[in-house]
Every structure is written in structure tokens, then in C-alpha cells.
Amino acid sequence: MARPRSFDVRQQTGFTFVAICCFVLLYLPIILLVVYSFNAGTSIAIWEGFSWQWYEAAWNNEKVQEATILSLIIASSASLVATSVAVMAALATTRTGKFKGSGLVFAMINQPLMIPEIVTAVALLLMFAMIKVSTGYTGIWYLIIAHSAFCIPFAYMPIRARLQGMDLNLEQAAADLYGQPWQVFRRVTLPQLWPGILSGAMLSFVVSLDDVVITEFVKSAGQDTLPTYMLGQLRRAITPEVNAISTALLAISIAMVVAFYLLSKSKEK
Amino acid sequence: MIEIAGLSKIFGVGASAFTALENINVTIRENEFFTLLGPSGCGKTTLLRSIAGFVNPSSGSLTVNGEDMLSKPPYARPVNTVFQNYALFPHMTVAENIGFGLEMLGRPKSEIKSVVADMLDLVQMAPMADRMTSQISGGQQQRVALARALAPKPKVLLLDEPLSALDFKLRKEMQIELKRLQSETGITFVFVTHDQEEALTMSDRIAVMKSGRILQIGGPKDIYDHPAERFVADFIGDTNFVSADLVTEANGIAQVRLPSGKTVEARSPAGGAQSGSVTIAVRPEHAVLSEPGALIDGRLKNIVYFGTDTHYHIESDGQPTFVVRRQNQPDAVEHHQVGDTVGISFNSGTAQVLRD
């Protein structure tokens, strides 16, 4: 259907200019970052020719390797936990009758989106400190638990949207055809829910991979994820190695977003 | 056999409470094609969903072959449903859809395979067995939905306006098809529709519903020829309403006096009309035009030619416009003209006294 011609925002004075400015602000820094990751010199501001050396340096840097492995472990574990919890939460908030306080439950599930991250970070730091004192455990699980928690709303949103968009008659039809509740879930609900689950899992993976604030507060001494390692590097002499790592992260994120887009397109049919 | 007694359903509580079903009493017989007919919001779908188990009635009892249904969840009831939008599983093939019920019942693979093959033949969908349900047409989806619901051989098949999404021609075909399937399988069909013609052509018996209540239950001819209430007469087919006075009433036969002073015999409804001034219903095709001085006299206001028949609209004092329908014969000459004074006659016993 054609849009009515009577109002077109492009006719507003300066609209195109403002729009171009926004895009420049959004993408120019990223382009510069990517360009300088190929710098042959040691400066992040003076171009001295093309080279892969900083990618090689980052690849061979043991600290980067460790941080990458830790980041991947945490992101996949958090994504797995958050997505499982989110599936259950989404089922509970879309497949039950309307109950008193369902709005409150919805808000509580999305708490990490509404409370400033720094508050959550400090709260987690304090609570984990108590546990550390009483148990002496300083391992990776604090980070996995923290990341799982703040990833839940990111996994919950697409799964809930998918469940709400599903035809309730399908589940009723399955129940009508002698499907017991768990069979209905496994044979009808779950197969249709997959695109939502994958979207949720990928979103939480990316969000976890990217997190600095909570990780910085919760991590034990010597633990570093890629973002906190990079933050640490910035306190010393900055080399284009940081650019190279950022560019690699950017590539992973873009790959994820493209996959996410393709999946959400396929679910629309 | 489905026995429903004193069934009521109230949605909500307090001031916003809505009575969807009010004291429903009906017995649906074995192998019967039983139709719930009524306008939208009359409770027919709520009643169907109560039988399927998706609605929990507030009170009353519901048994299938003597077995209580209300205590059972939908998956434990020997009934299957054909949904209005078909609700086919989009991630399964046609054959997988049809076999789903048997699979849930834990039947052996070989049995499922042979039943699915039989069902595909029954609904003439065998060449489409391996298609996804999104790759077949609306009419084909309809057949698959039907086959899926029939495959587990339920005692009762519930159909929720299954033909409403089909175009006119396909709907006519499927009406005949459904009737054939019902007689071939011997399964009790409970069919919900708001289409009176569909109800009349397919049903063994019809229950006409309004505002959560069943107004009348009877065979198509019974409902059409002898509607008990004004709503039934009005909802099914075209009807002329004439006010009259009740003279006598006994054994289902009433004598009524028309405004012209003439007295005619009419059927009285079950339980009787029991009041002096009544409304009688006369079907347009049960009345004929005659010379003035008949049961009702009036002025011919309009002649409308419909091809198969002609409608004469007659105005008379203090009565709504009366329509007489005459079937057209080849080369018949039209004797009447607009403005003529004409009489309306109908045979004794064809008019029906209504319970208002």
C-alpha cells in the first residue's frame, strides 16, 4: 500500500542533513577502528602502511588466548542457562490464564533492563564477596551466574514474542488428538519455538561476550574476558592490537546479527 | 450418545459476569449429524468447546456413552475436533498431521501407516501425503483437518464452522462430502454453524441457539415448517409475521382469527401459546395470491423477479409487508400488476403460532 503523500518527513528542513550526521557519528569511529587495526606502525592514530601484524600479535598473545577462551566459555554457558530459564519464563507468562500480578512478574523478569548495570554490578560484588569469604571459591562460576542473570531478558523477549505469535489452536488441536501436556510441548510447541529460542540464545551470547561493567566488578584476580583485558590494555601503552581484537569481535557480532536476521525472516515465512 | 444436562457456563465474576451457556439440556444420538445453529455470540462454540474439554462448564453434567467427560482433560476424551481455522501443524507433512492422534495414542507404526493411507483415500488426498500443510490449498487443508480428526476413530467428531473459510462452490461440495463421510464412518457429528442453509441441508437434527440457550431442537423440516419461536422463524428462511387472535388451542392445533375476521387453523407450539393476541408465521412459498376476500387482503406493492421464482410484496392495514413466493413456470403470463388489490390464502395447518 502506498503511503499518503500528504506528510513526508523528508520535506522537513535539515532532515537529510541530521540523518547523515547521525550515520557518520555511528559508523565513522568504527571504520577508523577497523582501518587502524591494519596499521603497520605502533600508533593508533598515525597511518604507516598496511599489515596483518597486530592480528598476528593478538593471535599469538597468550593473555588474549586465555581471555578469548574464558569469554567464549562464559558466553556459551550464560546463553545456555539464560535461554533455558527464558523458555520456562515465557511459557509461564504466555500459557497460563491471566493472573493477578502478571504485569509485575513481567517487569521482574526484565529487571536487568531497567536497573542500572552498575547497581547490579555492585550488588553482585557484595553478595559474591560474602560467598567467597565463607566458601573460599574464586572460580569462573560467579561470572557465569552473573552473566546468565543479566542475559535472561534478552533471551526472554524473542521467545515470548514467538510464543505470543503462535496459534493457540495448534496446542489445543494437539491436546484434542490425545497429546498429553509434555507431548504437546515436545511435538508442537517446541518445534515452532525454535527460531525464537535461537534468536534468544544468540542475543544473550552477544550481550554476554560484550559485557564490561558487571564482569569487571565480579571477576576474581587474574580472570579476564576479552573486554576486560582490552580495558586493562588501555591503561598502558595502546597499540593497534586492541583495534585488531575489536575488529574480530565486531566480525563475530555482525555474523551473529546476520544469522539472527535470516532466522527472523524465515519465521515470517 | 452425548447427554448434556443442566449445563451452564458463566465467564467472569460479579458485575462483568457473562452467561455464555444457560441450562443446556440435550441428548445427541449415536451416528447423528447434529447441528448447533445460531448467530455469533449465541454460545454454540462454547458448547462445542465444552464437549471437547477446552471450556470448563460452571455447572451441569456431560457424558459420552454414559462416561463422565467433565472430569477429564481434552486428551482423555474420545472426541476429536475440526477447528475453524483447521489448526494443522505447519511443521509436519499432510501424512504426519493425519497420523498425529494415533501416534499420541501409542499405536504401532504399521497400524498408523495403514490408517493414514485409508484416511488419505477417504478424503482423496493421497497424492499430497508428503506435502507440507502450507503447500496445499484451503479446501485441501480442510480435508486434511477432517482426516486428522477422523483417523483416531473418535466416538464423536466436533466441527467448528469448518466450511466458513471456503468459497461458495467448494463449500457446496464439502457439504455433500461431509454428509458422505458421516454416513460412511458412522461417527456422531456435532456441527457448529451460523449458516441456516448449511444446517438445513446437512443435519439430522438442529438445535437453534440464542443468547446461551437452546430455543428449539428438531429435524430440518420440523424447524423450518414449525418454528416454535419468533427468533427461530426469523433466523431460518424467510417468514411473514401476521398478528392474530387465539380463539381455541388444543392438542397442538389452534384456531386463530385474522384481522380480516376470518378464522384459520394453525399449528400451536409445544407447551402452547396461551395468550389472546399472538403472532403467526407463514412461509412465503406456503401462501398463494387469490381474489380479494381471502384470508388477508391487501394492495400489491412490488413484484420482484428472481429467475427461479417471483416475489409479490403485499401491503395491508396494520401488518408488515407480506411476501408471497411463486415458482416460475416457462412462458407463464403475469396476471398481476402493481397497485392491484389482491387476496392472500394459505392452507389450513400451514401457519405456525409462535411463542414470543
Side-chain angles (χ1 to χ4, degrees):
Chain A
M1 208 163 47
R3 267 165 191 280
R5 297 264 78 187
S6 55
F7 179 75
D8 187 334
V9 78
R10 280 174 297 183
Q11 289 165 359
Q12 304 290 312
T13 328
F15 173 81
T16 313
F17 176 72
V18 172
I20 290 172
C21 283
C22 287
F23 280 113
V24 168
L25 269 174
L26 275 174
Y27 289 101
L28 186 64
I30 296 177
I31 292 168
L32 286 176
L33 169 101
V34 174
V35 168
Y36 277 90
S37 70
F38 297 105
N39 196 356
T42 55
S43 168
I44 57 164
I46 304 158
W47 182 253
E48 288 172 39
F50 180 89
S51 143
W52 286 99
Q53 66 167 330
W54 297 111
Y55 286 89
E56 277 169 40
W59 186 257
N60 293 323
N61 184 335
E62 252 175 57
K63 289 226 161 116
V64 173
Q65 290 170 3
E66 279 169 24
T68 306
I69 290 167
L70 189 67
S71 273
L72 291 177
I73 291 174
I74 292 171
S76 4
S77 316
S79 160
L80 188 72
V81 175
T83 308
S84 319
V85 173
V87 168
M88 291 188 268
L91 283 171
T93 51
T94 58
R95 290 297 186 271
T96 51
K98 250 207 151 20
F99 55 92
K100 226 177 175 171
S102 55
L104 182 69
V105 168
F106 179 71
M108 284 171 71
I109 291 168
N110 291 312
Q111 173 260 23
L113 292 182
M114 298 176 207
I115 291 185
E117 205 182 346
I118 191 80
V119 175
T120 313
V122 173
L124 285 171
L125 171 75
L126 295 177
M127 197 187 81
F128 288 154
M130 290 181 204
I131 300 174
K132 275 181 198 171
V133 166
S134 57
T135 62
Y137 176 72
T138 56
I140 191 183
W141 277 100
Y142 297 113
L143 281 171
I144 291 178
I145 292 168
H147 278 231
S148 302
F150 71 72
C151 282
I152 287 172
F154 295 97
Y156 173 73
M157 286 298 182
I159 295 172
R160 179 170 177 271
R162 180 81 185 165
L163 272 173
Q164 277 182 329
M166 260 171 71
D167 181 4
L168 275 179
N169 276 331
L170 294 178
E171 284 158 22
Q172 284 190 346
D176 188 66
L177 291 161
Y178 315 106
Q180 300 193 11
W182 70 270
Q183 289 175 308
V184 173
F185 177 73
R186 199 173 59 81
R187 293 298 312 279
V188 175
T189 314
L190 198 57
Q192 305 231 57
L193 200 52
W194 270 123
I197 292 176
L198 282 179
S199 305
M202 285 190 316
L203 259 179
S204 20
F205 186 86
V206 171
V207 167
S208 162
L209 202 63
D210 180 51
D211 181 75
V212 176
V213 179
I214 289 176
T215 313
E216 190 67 32
F217 275 71
V218 170
K219 73 188 180 81
S220 306
Q223 283 178 342
D224 259 320
T225 61
L226 265 182
T228 63
Y229 168 78
M230 286 156 69
L231 189 66
Q233 287 306 101
L234 294 183
R235 295 193 188 115
R236 303 187 194 108
I238 312 171
T239 64
E241 187 182 6
V242 172
N243 296 42
I245 300 169
S246 301
T247 306
L249 273 177
L250 182 69
I252 295 175
S253 294
I254 289 174
M256 287 283 204
V257 169
V258 168
F260 176 80
Y261 171 77
L262 291 177
L263 269 172
S264 53
K265 255 193 88 164
S266 76
K267 80 183 168 191
E268 282 163 20
K269 265 185 235 157
Chain B
M1 192 167 76
I2 309 172
E3 280 178 294
I4 299 170
L7 201 78
S8 293
K9 174 64 188 177
I10 298 163
F11 286 108
V13 284
S16 64
F18 168 71
T19 305
L21 293 176
E22 190 183 336
N23 190 25
I24 300 289
N25 293 289
V26 59
T27 301
I28 299 167
R29 301 175 197 133
E30 203 99 342
N31 303 345
E32 189 168 37
F33 197 120
F34 192 89
T35 298
L36 301 170
L37 173 68
S40 64
C42 71
K44 56 193 193 297
T45 297
T46 307
L47 182 54
L48 192 83
R49 293 170 67 80
S50 301
I51 303 173
F54 303 130
V55 168
N56 288 321
S58 309
S59 58
S61 71
L62 200 166
T63 62
V64 171
N65 294 350
E67 204 182 339
D68 174 46
M69 285 294 120
L70 295 184
S71 58
K72 289 183 195 297
Y75 58 82
R77 299 187 185 199
V79 300
N80 288 143
T81 308
V82 178
F83 290 80
Q84 186 168 12
N85 66 351
Y86 314 143
L88 296 178
F89 306 125
H91 56 291
M92 297 182 199
T93 64
V94 166
E96 285 167 346
N97 263 280
I98 297 175
F100 188 85
L102 294 166
E103 196 191 320
M104 290 298 111
L105 287 170
R107 297 288 166 75
K109 282 225 165 58
S110 54
E111 184 193 332
I112 295 177
K113 214 176 153 194
S114 78
V115 172
V116 167
D118 289 349
M119 285 296 142
L120 283 167
D121 284 341
L122 189 71
V123 296
Q124 292 149 18
M125 283 290 292
M128 310 276 182
D130 296 321
R131 296 263 188 104
M132 297 307 279
T133 56
S134 55
Q135 296 168 320
I136 57 177
S137 72
Q140 293 169 333
Q141 289 182 4
Q142 221 279 322
R143 289 158 191 271
V144 175
L146 207 65
R148 184 179 72 174
L150 285 170
K153 304 230 168 14
K155 295 199 172 76
V156 179
L157 188 74
L158 307 173
L159 303 104
D160 187 6
E161 307 216 20
L163 307 181
S164 60
L166 304 180
D167 64 49
F168 180 78
K169 216 177 148 210
L170 204 54
R171 198 158 65 226
K172 293 275 157 222
E173 273 176 41
M174 284 309 294
Q175 284 178 11
I176 296 163
E177 185 92 0
L178 270 181
K179 192 74 193 151
R180 171 181 74 86
L181 283 172
Q182 196 259 334
S183 51
E184 270 179 30
T185 54
I187 292 171
T188 305
F189 277 32
V190 182
F191 185 87
V192 160
T193 184
H194 63 265
D195 183 332
Q196 43 111 358
E197 192 192 296
E198 208 164 271
L200 291 174
T201 51
M202 298 166 76
S203 318
D204 293 322
R205 283 195 306 155
I206 300 168
V208 183
M209 293 185 70
K210 184 199 173 193
S211 312
R213 293 185 307 124
I214 292 181
L215 299 182
Q216 189 174 359
I217 301 175
K221 193 167 161 47
D222 199 30
I223 296 259
Y224 183 82
D225 287 346
H226 306 296
E229 295 195 25
R230 191 186 179 107
F231 176 83
V232 179
D234 206 18
F235 190 72
I236 297 170
D238 301 321
T239 305
N240 295 297
F241 296 108
V242 181
S243 19
D245 289 316
L246 192 65
V247 182
T248 59
E249 187 179 37
N251 303 325
I253 293 169
Q255 298 292 332
V256 293
R257 186 179 298 114
L258 297 167
S260 63
K262 298 213 159 54
T263 302
V264 69
E265 188 185 303
R267 309 263 300 218
S268 75
Q274 294 162 349
S275 67
S277 105
V278 293
T279 303
I280 62 168
V282 183
R283 296 289 181 191
E285 69 275 20
H286 292 165
V288 292
L289 287 185
S290 56
E291 295 304 310
L295 291 173
I296 302 168
D297 286 350
R299 198 182 67 88
L300 194 53
K301 195 175 75 173
N302 238 331
I303 301 175
V304 186
Y305 180 74
F306 274 95
T308 54
D309 45 33
T310 303
H311 292 188
Y312 301 90
H313 295 216
I314 299 127
E315 265 182 330
S316 51
D317 293 337
Q319 301 281 1
T321 301
F322 195 106
V323 180
V324 172
R325 185 185 298 160
R326 196 199 63 188
Q327 198 174 358
N328 291 326
Q329 304 297 331
D331 307 322
V333 180
E334 185 60 70
H335 296 294
H336 300 283
Q337 271 185 348
V338 172
D340 284 358
T341 302
V342 293
I344 303 166
S345 322
F346 41 87
N347 287 337
S348 115
T350 53
Q352 173 72 30
V353 179
L354 299 176
R355 223 170 28 212
D356 265 316

